[in-house]
């Protein structure tokens, strides 16, 4: 949910730069295929997660890629929201992984919000949030 002190015309914009949609779709695909370069390439240089810089986040995600033989990520009910300073992509994330040993890995279902900014002419994720659905 995004709250504004007043609803201006620029907040009602309903057309999106197709590159935002493509960037989001590439992010989902790269995560599921464990393509770490493409996945991390969608993040802003300023991104941080739980106190980790982007390079530490890359190491963390790369470690998970090695831990899991398979990662499945599905994005459902995708919504693109415009703001003059950034775009927010909101969706239901269905995630499941399989351990390299063959056992069940981590599973989750929740709402994810990705905040995109323009950086060097491309959309990059500056922040993200996740809430489990019960």
């Amino acid at each position: 949910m995004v709250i504004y002190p007043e609803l201006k015309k620029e907040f009602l914009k309903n057309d999106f730069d197709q590159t935002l949609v493509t960037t989001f779709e590439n992010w989902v695909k790269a995560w599921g295929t464990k393509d770490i370069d493409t996945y991390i390439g969608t993040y802003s240089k300023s991104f941080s997660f739980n106190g980790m810089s982007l390079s530490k986040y890359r190491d963390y995600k790369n470690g998970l890629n090695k831990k899991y033989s398979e990662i499945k990520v599905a994005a459902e009910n995708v919504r693109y929201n415009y703001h003059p300073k950034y775009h927010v992509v909101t969706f239901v994330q269905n995630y499941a992984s399989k351990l390299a040993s063959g056992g069940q890995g981590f599973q989750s279902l929740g709402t994810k919000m990705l905040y995109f900014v323009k950086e060097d002419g491309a959309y990059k994720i500056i922040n993200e949030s996740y809430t489990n659905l019960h």
Side-chain angles (χ1 to χ4, degrees), residues 66-112:
K66 291 175 183 171
K67 179 179 178 180
Y68 300 129
S69 64
E70 184 179 342
I71 295 174
K72 292 182 182 178
V73 182
E76 302 159 357
N77 295 334
V78 180
R79 305 259 193 265
Y80 298 88
N81 301 292
Y82 174 76
H83 183 278
K85 294 181 182 177
Y86 49 82
H87 289 323
V88 182
V89 179
T90 306
F91 59 101
V92 174
Q93 176 182 293
N94 192 346
Y95 175 93
S97 60
K98 186 181 287 186
L99 294 169
S101 63
Q104 182 177 330
F106 183 73
Q107 288 188 303
S108 68
L109 179 67
T111 302
K112 187 160 225 170

Side-chain angles (χ1 to χ4, degrees), residues 96-133:
S97 60
K98 186 181 287 186
L99 294 169
S101 63
Q104 182 177 330
F106 183 73
Q107 288 188 303
S108 68
L109 179 67
T111 302
K112 187 160 225 170
M113 297 176 77
L114 299 177
Y115 296 82
F116 287 85
V117 294
K118 279 281 191 142
E119 186 176 282
D120 300 326
Y123 286 107
K124 301 288 183 172
I125 299 167
I126 189 75
N127 198 353
E128 62 181 48
S129 66
Y130 177 82
T131 305
N132 273 320
L133 292 175

Side-chain angles (χ1 to χ4, degrees), residues 4 6-16 80-84:
Y4 303 104
E6 68 179 285
L7 195 57
K8 298 179 181 179
K9 276 188 189 180
E10 60 264 30
F11 296 119
L12 300 174
K13 184 177 176 181
N14 62 4
D15 59 322
F16 293 97
Y80 298 88
N81 301 292
Y82 174 76
H83 183 278

